[in-house]
Each structure stands twice: as C-alpha cells, then as structure tokens.
Amino acid sequence: METTTGNAGLSRSPSPTTGLRPVRRRHKGILKYPVVRQLIRFTGVGVICTASSLAIYALLRPWIDPQLANAVALILTSLMNTALNRRLTFKITGSRKRTQDHLNGIIVIIIALVITGGSLGVLHLFRPDATVGEELWTTTLSGFVATAVRFSLLRHWIFRRARHV
C-alpha cells in the first residue's frame, strides 16, 4: 500500500472508498491549480502513448490498410493510456472502479478513432496515393484534437472523482 507524507510528517494511506491518495503539498504559482498539474502529467502520458501508437502504426502500415493500422495502434495503446492516466494524471491508486474506468476509456478511444480515422478518410479522399509519412502527419495532427477531447472526457467524466489532485 502506498503512502504519502505531508508537511506535518504524517503518513497517510489511500482512501479505501475512493482510491485517491491524499495530497498534502502546497503548490505555488500556476501549479496551485489542479488542472495545470493534471495537464502536465497528461502530456507526459500522451507523449509516451503517442510515440507507441505511431511506432505500431508505422510497423503495421506496410502490410495492412491505413484505417486498420490506425485502429490497431490506438486499441493497443488505449489500455496503457487509461491505466497511466488513472494512476499518474489523476492519482487514482485503488482498484475501486478500475474495470468501469477502462470500459469508459474504450468509449473515449472510439471517439479518438472516429476523429483520427475521419482525418485519414479525408486525406485519402483528396490524396488517394498519400504516403505513410503523410498519413502519420495526418493522424498526429488529428491526434491533437482527439487528445483535447480525451483530456476533457477523462477529467470531467471518467475520473471526475479526482479533479482536485
């Protein structure tokens, strides 16, 4: 079981009812806002997951259709993304609601697939002979939109119980 140590030197365990770890530090400046701290952690998770997704896409693309390569890459990295955001971005450590969080995360991934898959569809509508590099740029740029949607859904829907950490 993890513990945190606050300013008073007291050690506290995660709450068994919420799975949230108490935060006892005082932040200054812009870091005093929980959303800023969450965005910083979310960005780190996003960099890891985006790099993984792009690598999987680039490896699969020579052998399969771009839409299928995109779907496989996003699905393979979605569980990792939800788990990392749950633990690192929103500081949820308990097993309570873990399954529900991952099921809701699948809905978020479907939305990301619609956004990135739609962008690939538009690319191929205008450039049927697009290169893998152009496809990667397209999915990366549309991934920024999908990322903003993902953060909003994670923060305000799936992990709303941890909005202030």
Side-chain angles (χ1 to χ4, degrees), residues 45 49 77-87 98 101-106 109 150 154 158-159:
V45 168
C49 292
T77 57
S78 70
L79 288 175
M80 175 178 69
N81 186 284
T82 300
L84 288 173
N85 276 309
R86 186 178 197 275
R87 173 71 175 96
R98 182 182 311 166
D101 290 343
H102 281 285
L103 290 173
N104 291 340
I106 291 170
I109 286 302
R150 174 186 294 261
L154 290 176
I158 299 174
F159 302 127

